């Protein structure tokens, strides 16, 4: 028997050949995912920095724009998304404990909450914005001396919430793949890295919203 | 990584804390605190982020290398926002004080 085939026979199929053990493989995977998330932080960070600059410059206009958003649906969506983070964390926990049916159940719950978030956004918020002529380039019109600044606020609003929603759609797509893998019984306490890194991604998307919600809906006060 | 399986209650507790903080940040927004409204809202958002990162994302059991990566990422984010704001906030051209030099060379006073 050659050395190579001897080495193959010694490790489980999910352990890639170039890692010493599963622990090293998992640590590398987690580190790599965090590295990706850091690029995402800088990506969204540029938008947040730009938002801060224009908010300081057009304070009254941004406050006026913010007051046209529906804080009830914003808060409801925050709760829905934090709830989906909880179910995602529980899906990872189920994978750590090799509870295969629970993995599928919690991922499905996470997807339902994720779809609910996007549904609320589309159906109750963006459509209302459209009817109130608040979408730039789509018949934007507000009666206000600050109208150009309000329009700028809504450019930020749709760009930031749109990118956030796009990240959620991508997350939902990844979860479809996870469901397929889970249904095939691919995950157990030895190998659950895909569930773990998808969890990291989903929690990151949650964190972006944790900042978007107060910045867009609340800052400047609602009194 | 050596797998740390957390209890369900820990996750539920973190979830409840996040919910209470969300309700708090909404409630505070309806009270007039002046400039402190922004400060309170951002402080609560940072606390919520730390809860998610520490517990949901398992960073408290991550390797030191992962923690250094994350800290470095947030440091660069801080630099990005802080230096952008200091630049934009100090972009006015300084005027020379009135009464220095002859009248013809004094720059017109800013409006």
């Amino acid at each position: 028997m050659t050395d190579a085939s001897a080495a193959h026979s010694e490790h489980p199929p999910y352990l890639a050949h170039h890692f010493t053990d599963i622990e090293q493989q998992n640590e590398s995977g987690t580190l790599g995912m965090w590295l990706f998330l850091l690029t995402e932080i800088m990506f969204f960070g540029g938008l947040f920095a730009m938002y801060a600059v224009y908010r300081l410059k057009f304070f009254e206009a941004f406050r006026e724009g913010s007051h046209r958003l529906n804080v009830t649906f914003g808060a409801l969506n925050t709760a829905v998304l934090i709830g989906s983070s909880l179910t995602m964390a529980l899906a990872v926990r189920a994978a750590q404990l090799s509870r295969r049916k629970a993995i599928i159940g919690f991922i499905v719950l996470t997807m339902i909450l994720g779809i609910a978030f996007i549904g609320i956004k589309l159906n109750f918020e963006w459509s209302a914005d459209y009817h109130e002529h608040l979408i730039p380039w789509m018949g934007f019109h507000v009666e206000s001396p600050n109208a150009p600044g309000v329009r700028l606020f809504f450019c930020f609003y749709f760009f930031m919430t749109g990118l956030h929603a796009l990240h959620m759609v991508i997350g939902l797509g990844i979860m479809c793949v996870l469901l397929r893998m889970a249904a095939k019984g691919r995950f157990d306490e030895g190998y659950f890295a895909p569930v773990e890194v998808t969890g990291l991604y989903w929690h990151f998307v949650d964190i972006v919203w944790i900042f978007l919600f107060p910045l867009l809906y609340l800052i400047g006060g609602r009194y | 990584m050596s797998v740390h399986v957390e209890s369900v209650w820990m996750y539920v507790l973190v979830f409840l804390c996040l919910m209470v903080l969300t309700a708090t940040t909404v409630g505070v927004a309806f009270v007039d605190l002046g400039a402190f409204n922004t400060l309170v809202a951002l402080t609560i958002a940072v606390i919520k982020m730390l809860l998610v990162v520490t517990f949901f994302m398992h960073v408290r059991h991550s390797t030191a290398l992962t923690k250094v990566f994350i800290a470095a990422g947030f440091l660069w984010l801080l630099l990005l926002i802080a230096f952008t704001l200091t630049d934009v906030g100090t972009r006015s051209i300084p005027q020379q004080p009135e009464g220095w030099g002859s009248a013809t060379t004094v720059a017109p006073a800013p409006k």
Side-chain angles (χ1 to χ4, degrees):
Chain A
M1 191 182 277
T2 65
D3 285 350
S5 60
H8 272 294
S9 63
E10 281 165 16
H11 64 72
Y14 49 73
L15 177 61
H17 198 59
H18 49 284
F19 290 113
T20 312
D21 51 24
I22 191 67
E23 199 170 312
Q24 191 195 28
Q25 176 172 307
N26 284 341
E27 278 170 9
S28 306
T30 304
L31 189 65
M33 191 60 196
W34 268 106
L35 197 55
F36 168 68
L37 292 182
L38 294 182
T39 69
E40 290 270 272
I41 289 172
M42 298 313 284
F43 169 69
F44 276 101
L47 278 172
F48 280 115
M50 202 162 65
Y51 175 85
V53 167
Y54 283 104
R55 215 197 101 75
L56 289 171
K57 213 166 177 60
F58 305 111
F59 184 79
E60 278 309 314
F62 271 46
R63 191 163 185 265
E64 203 179 311
S66 172
H67 282 206
R68 288 170 187 267
L69 298 178
N70 190 323
V71 75
T72 311
F73 286 126
L76 177 67
N77 254 349
T78 308
V80 168
L81 201 54
I82 291 173
S84 79
S85 251
L86 173 68
T87 55
M88 190 69 228
L90 292 175
V92 175
R93 184 178 183 274
Q96 290 170 338
L97 295 169
S98 305
R99 294 181 185 158
R100 290 178 180 178
K101 279 183 184 160
I103 302 174
I104 293 175
F106 280 123
I107 290 175
V108 168
L109 264 179
T110 308
M111 291 178 77
I112 291 171
L113 289 169
I115 291 165
F117 178 97
I118 295 170
I120 291 170
K121 201 114 207 62
L122 279 176
N123 198 34
F124 296 112
E125 293 199 73
W126 286 348
S127 64
D129 296 335
Y130 177 74
H131 290 299
E132 290 168 25
H133 305 286
L134 293 177
I135 304 182
W137 304 288
M138 286 179 74
F140 181 86
H141 180 76
V142 291
E143 292 291 341
S144 162
N146 295 324
V150 177
R151 180 175 166 148
L152 185 62
F153 172 83
F154 276 97
C155 288
F156 274 109
Y157 170 75
F158 283 106
F159 205 74
M160 292 168 107
T161 56
L163 270 177
H164 178 262
L166 178 67
H167 276 78
M168 293 195 63
V169 171
I170 292 168
L172 290 170
I174 296 169
M175 278 181 221
C176 290
V177 180
L178 278 190
L179 274 185
R180 197 176 145 80
M181 292 172 83
K184 286 181 180 170
R186 293 272 300 276
F187 304 129
D188 57 35
E189 80 266 355
Y191 179 72
F192 56 86
V195 191
E196 168 94 17
V197 295
T198 307
L200 289 179
Y201 176 81
W202 195 254
H203 297 313
F204 166 79
V205 173
D206 188 22
I207 287 172
V208 171
W209 183 259
I210 282 174
F211 281 96
L212 282 181
F213 172 60
L215 284 175
L216 294 173
Y217 290 77
L218 299 178
I219 283 189
R222 302 294 297 208
Y223 43 83
Chain B
M1 84 204 98
S2 48
V3 177
H4 292 268
V5 182
E6 309 279 7
S7 74
V8 172
W9 284 113
M10 191 216 73
Y11 287 120
V12 173
L13 192 66
V14 172
F15 168 75
L16 290 176
C17 287
L18 290 168
M19 283 303 185
V20 169
L21 286 168
T22 304
T24 311
T25 196
V26 172
V28 169
F30 287 91
V31 183
D32 186 357
L33 299 174
F36 282 97
N37 274 102
T38 304
L39 189 67
V40 171
L42 283 178
T43 306
I44 290 177
V46 168
I47 295 170
K48 286 166 79 179
M49 178 198 75
L50 290 175
L51 281 173
V52 173
V53 168
T54 311
F55 296 102
F56 282 179
M57 298 172 98
H58 302 150
V59 167
R60 68 189 190 129
H61 295 308
S62 290
T63 58
L65 185 60
T66 307
K67 285 174 186 163
V68 169
F69 266 52
I70 298 165
F74 281 105
L75 178 68
W76 282 106
L77 178 67
L78 195 70
L79 290 179
L80 168 70
I81 293 174
F83 278 93
T84 305
L85 290 182
T86 46
D87 171 25
V88 173
T90 54
R91 261 189 203 174
S92 61
I93 299 164
Q95 303 286 327
Q96 61 172 315
E98 280 182 51
W100 288 33
S102 67
T104 50
T105 58
V106 172
K111 287 180 184 175

